[in-house]
Amino acid sequence: MANRIITISREFGSGGRTIGRQTAERLGIPCYDAELIQKIAGESGLASEYIREKEEHSVHANPFVNIFMSDRSNGGFSMQDYLWSVQRQVICEIADKESCVIVGRCADYILKDRQDLLTAFIHADIEKRADRVEQIYGEVDDMPVLKRVKDKDKRRKTYHRFYTDTEWGVAQNYDICLDSGTLGIETCVDILCGLYARQA
Amino acid sequence: MANRIITISREFGSGGRTIGRQTAERLGIPCYDAELIQKIAGESGLASEYIREKEEHSVHANPFVNIFMSDRSNGGFSMQDYLWSVQRQVICEIADKESCVIVGRCADYILKDRQDLLTAFIHADIEKRADRVEQIYGEVDDMPVLKRVKDKDKRRKTYHRFYTDTEWGVAQNYDICLDSGTLGIETCVDILCGLYARQA
């Protein structure tokens, strides 16, 4: 079956979002990234800014804190769990409706049983990512850029493990993994466009 | 700088060797796989069969056995260490001499400081690999195919960690990782050929 949905998981600063946008643009299909957050906001009744922050900040890098400090320890569900459930529903609805690129939000895991899925992981050397982050976002919160990149990676990795029980960045979990630092953004876009709609 | 040397690390039964051969053939450059073993045999004075076996069988899956049961515990070097040293030398000489594809033998790690290197990791779902192994090699040693595939993976992983101190199959350690089971052998060859000689 042809690949119709492309999911992009990415290390912070790897250009994964740009690769997603450019791939979608060239293929003439929508790219869900900020749009996904708006949709989740619409469904959940929560503010977009709150949702954006929750992806990376409500799961603590230390898994014990997640278990013992959250209301999960009483067998309950946290706000994060509610968001996960809405996110899951929104992503499934989008994938049912149309061909698209979805960036982040564990869409690879949520859609894993679909036959028309191409899952990509974009990564790059940490120094290259820190340079890119500095160029695009500049210094934020007085935190050195390298520390900020490492911190984001850790949070995304922990969030992914917490909700999917699979390891983020392990090659076996994706159809294709690309080093955007050595291959370049354009090459990554070329490869993903080439794979779209291709029969396996 | 253009990619001139392609190294292929691969899970057992993923078709990585076939992908390497077909890529080299299409590019008109040599592929070192069995040829590498012959060269190492020539340099080391050991039999090809012995070298082929040693890659995967002299490192035990349990790292403690490697440390305490080998002559390394006395600060000495094992036959495996001698082979590693010859292998390293042979691979560096090949890469200095000509453009080529090199399959396995930790060539990605040995050549990691070169600027003209493209490192690929080929993997596939374990059931698909077991099917492929059964088709190509049939049953061997009365060991069920699935168990044989898992055993080989474990040994390659341990060998890689033992000599390179890096994790085998972690996306960040390669320029590109491809699932040959979902993408297909031909697509993997197309992508690698497309990347050869491309400027990053």
Side-chain angles (χ1 to χ4, degrees):
Chain A
M1 184 180 282
N3 302 314
R4 221 176 47 84
I5 314 282
I6 301 175
T7 61
I8 296 189
S9 308
R10 75 292 180 217
E11 286 185 334
F12 182 57
S14 67
R17 179 182 291 186
T18 307
I19 291 168
R21 290 230 158 265
Q22 292 186 8
T23 300
E25 205 173 307
R26 212 190 292 170
L27 294 172
I29 58 176
C31 176
Y32 288 96
D33 173 22
E35 299 78 0
L36 200 58
I37 291 170
Q38 280 158 21
K39 271 189 179 280
I40 297 167
E43 293 284 331
S44 65
L46 295 164
S48 298
E49 195 47 50
Y50 180 84
I51 296 164
R52 188 173 295 111
E53 286 210 353
K54 278 291 164 189
E55 181 178 12
E56 288 154 3
H57 294 280
S58 69
V59 177
H60 199 279
N62 179 348
F64 289 106
V65 176
N66 292 318
I67 297 165
F68 297 110
M69 299 294 280
S70 78
D71 48 9
R72 277 199 162 187
S73 58
N74 305 319
F77 287 95
S78 64
M79 178 65 89
Q80 184 74 8
D81 292 333
Y82 167 63
L83 257 188
W84 171 258
S85 144
V86 176
Q87 178 174 319
R88 192 184 176 87
Q89 189 195 321
V90 168
I91 287 174
C92 288
E93 281 171 8
I94 289 171
D96 279 340
K97 202 182 69 181
E98 59 188 351
S99 293
C100 59
V101 175
I102 306 176
V103 179
R105 301 254 152 201
C106 303
D108 55 333
Y109 175 80
I110 291 170
L111 301 174
K112 70 181 187 312
D113 294 327
R114 294 186 71 104
Q115 293 298 305
D116 56 356
L117 184 71
L118 179 78
T119 56
F121 179 73
I122 311 292
H123 58 93
D125 179 65
I126 195 155
E127 275 81 17
K128 285 189 182 156
R129 292 191 287 127
D131 283 351
R132 193 181 157 85
V133 167
E134 196 156 27
Q135 272 176 21
I136 298 178
Y137 306 101
E139 286 254 344
V140 182
D141 300 337
D142 295 333
M143 189 192 275
V145 178
L146 206 62
K147 188 175 176 335
R148 198 170 152 227
V149 171
K150 281 183 185 166
D151 188 67
K152 277 261 196 185
D153 278 352
K154 207 168 178 179
R155 285 177 188 277
R156 282 190 186 169
K157 203 170 181 168
T158 310
Y159 176 85
H160 201 274
R161 196 191 298 128
F162 192 69
Y163 279 100
T164 72
D165 209 22
T166 62
E167 286 296 320
W168 192 68
V170 168
Q172 284 88 339
N173 295 337
Y174 307 91
D175 295 316
I176 186 164
C177 302
L178 298 165
D179 185 331
S180 59
T182 58
L183 300 176
I185 300 273
E186 206 187 319
T187 301
C188 294
V189 174
D190 287 347
I191 291 174
L192 294 181
C193 287
L195 287 174
Y196 179 82
R198 182 165 186 154
Q199 299 291 126
Chain B
M1 184 179 283
N3 302 313
R4 221 176 47 84
I5 314 281
I6 301 176
T7 62
I8 296 189
S9 308
R10 76 292 182 217
E11 286 185 335
F12 183 56
S14 68
R17 179 183 291 185
T18 306
I19 291 169
R21 290 230 157 266
Q22 292 186 7
T23 301
E25 206 172 306
R26 212 191 292 172
L27 295 172
I29 58 175
C31 176
Y32 288 97
D33 173 22
E35 300 78 359
L36 200 58
I37 291 170
Q38 280 159 18
K39 271 190 179 280
I40 296 167
E43 293 284 333
S44 66
L46 295 164
S48 298
E49 195 47 47
Y50 181 84
I51 295 164
R52 188 173 295 114
E53 286 212 354
K54 279 290 166 190
E55 181 178 13
E56 288 153 3
H57 294 278
S58 69
V59 177
H60 199 279
N62 179 347
F64 290 105
V65 176
N66 292 317
I67 297 165
F68 296 110
M69 299 293 282
S70 79
D71 49 7
R72 277 197 161 185
S73 59
N74 305 319
F77 287 95
S78 64
M79 177 65 88
Q80 185 74 10
D81 291 334
Y82 167 63
L83 258 188
W84 171 259
S85 144
V86 176
Q87 177 174 320
R88 193 185 175 87
Q89 189 194 320
V90 167
I91 288 174
C92 288
E93 280 171 9
I94 288 171
D96 279 341
K97 200 182 70 180
E98 59 188 350
S99 293
C100 60
V101 174
I102 305 176
V103 179
R105 302 251 152 206
C106 302
D108 55 333
Y109 175 80
I110 291 170
L111 302 174
K112 70 182 188 308
D113 295 327
R114 294 187 72 103
Q115 293 299 306
D116 56 356
L117 185 70
L118 179 78
T119 56
F121 179 72
I122 311 292
H123 59 93
D125 179 66
I126 193 155
E127 276 80 19
K128 283 188 185 159
R129 292 191 287 127
D131 284 349
R132 194 181 156 85
V133 167
E134 196 157 24
Q135 272 174 22
I136 297 177
Y137 307 101
E139 285 254 342
V140 181
D141 300 337
D142 295 332
M143 190 193 274
V145 177
L146 207 63
K147 187 174 177 338
R148 198 170 151 224
V149 171
K150 281 184 185 165
D151 188 68
K152 278 261 196 185
D153 279 353
K154 208 168 178 179
R155 285 177 189 277
R156 282 189 186 168
K157 204 170 180 168
T158 309
Y159 176 86
H160 201 274
R161 195 191 299 130
F162 191 70
Y163 279 100
T164 71
D165 210 22
T166 62
E167 285 297 319
W168 193 67
V170 167
Q172 284 88 339
N173 295 336
Y174 307 91
D175 294 317
I176 186 163
C177 302
L178 299 165
D179 185 331
S180 59
T182 58
L183 301 175
I185 299 274
E186 207 187 316
T187 300
C188 295
V189 174
D190 287 347
I191 291 173
L192 294 181
C193 288
L195 288 174
Y196 179 81
R198 183 166 186 152
Q199 299 292 126

